[in-house]
Amino acid sequence: MTCSDGHVRWGVFGAAGVVFVVRFPEGPRVMLQKRSAFAHEGGTWSCAGGALDEGESPLDGALREASEEVGAIPAGHRVLGQTVFAPATDWSYTTFVVEVTGEFGSSINFETDAVAWDTPDEVEQRPLHAGFAAAWPALREIIEAPT
């Protein structure tokens, strides 16, 4: 859609994604998704996510999109925090940080070329999707905050 700021973005009702985190004694690892050539900024790494359906909450949409792209989300997950990118009055992208009990996921549809579980430092070494790169400092702060 063409948003109120004049930019074209995916998702008439906004969009949302989720960064999954597993905590290990040596530190957290986060799931990244390599975007396929069919996706916006293909070949870059980001979190799973996408457009919201009408009436869908950002969290429900983020979890639905993730399950469609990387597989079933383990039971017992919990939300640690979120960031919101709202560049226009009629569109926003919410990224949730969700802790899970163990690593999971694989490429299960055309939008995803690969899934990786990286340390926060490793994330910063990958070619990141521009939007995810902009959100990463705030997401990393949530990931590394004491629980």
Side-chain angles (χ1 to χ4, degrees):
M1 73 175 272
T2 301
C3 300
S4 62
D5 65 351
H7 286 89
V8 176
R9 296 189 178 88
W10 186 254
V12 173
F13 305 105
V18 60
V19 176
F20 293 104
V21 179
V22 176
R23 299 207 182 274
F24 292 102
E26 62 276 8
R29 296 187 82 78
V30 300
M31 177 194 277
L32 290 183
Q33 168 202 49
K34 186 176 183 185
R35 302 168 67 82
S36 77
F38 299 103
H40 181 252
E41 293 188 40
T44 61
W45 292 82
S46 183
C47 62
L52 300 176
D53 291 336
E54 185 173 14
E56 187 174 45
S57 75
L59 179 59
D60 288 343
L63 294 173
R64 175 188 51 76
E65 284 283 339
S67 67
E68 292 171 0
E69 295 172 6
V70 298
I73 300 162
H77 59 272
R78 71 181 181 116
V79 176
L80 300 178
Q82 69 188 53
T83 64
V84 179
F85 172 62
T89 59
D90 55 353
W91 191 89
S92 65
Y93 190 104
T94 305
T95 307
F96 294 90
V97 177
V98 174
E99 185 175 17
V100 292
T101 56
E103 295 178 2
F104 73 100
S106 62
S107 173
I108 64 170
N109 77 10
F110 70 94
E111 295 177 89
T112 305
D113 280 349
V115 170
W117 285 88
D118 289 349
T119 67
D121 288 340
E122 291 169 334
V123 169
E124 294 177 2
Q125 302 309 308
R126 292 198 184 266
L128 299 177
H129 178 280
F132 183 76
W136 176 246
L139 296 168
R140 185 172 182 163
E141 189 173 310
I142 295 167
I143 291 162
E144 294 180 333
T147 58

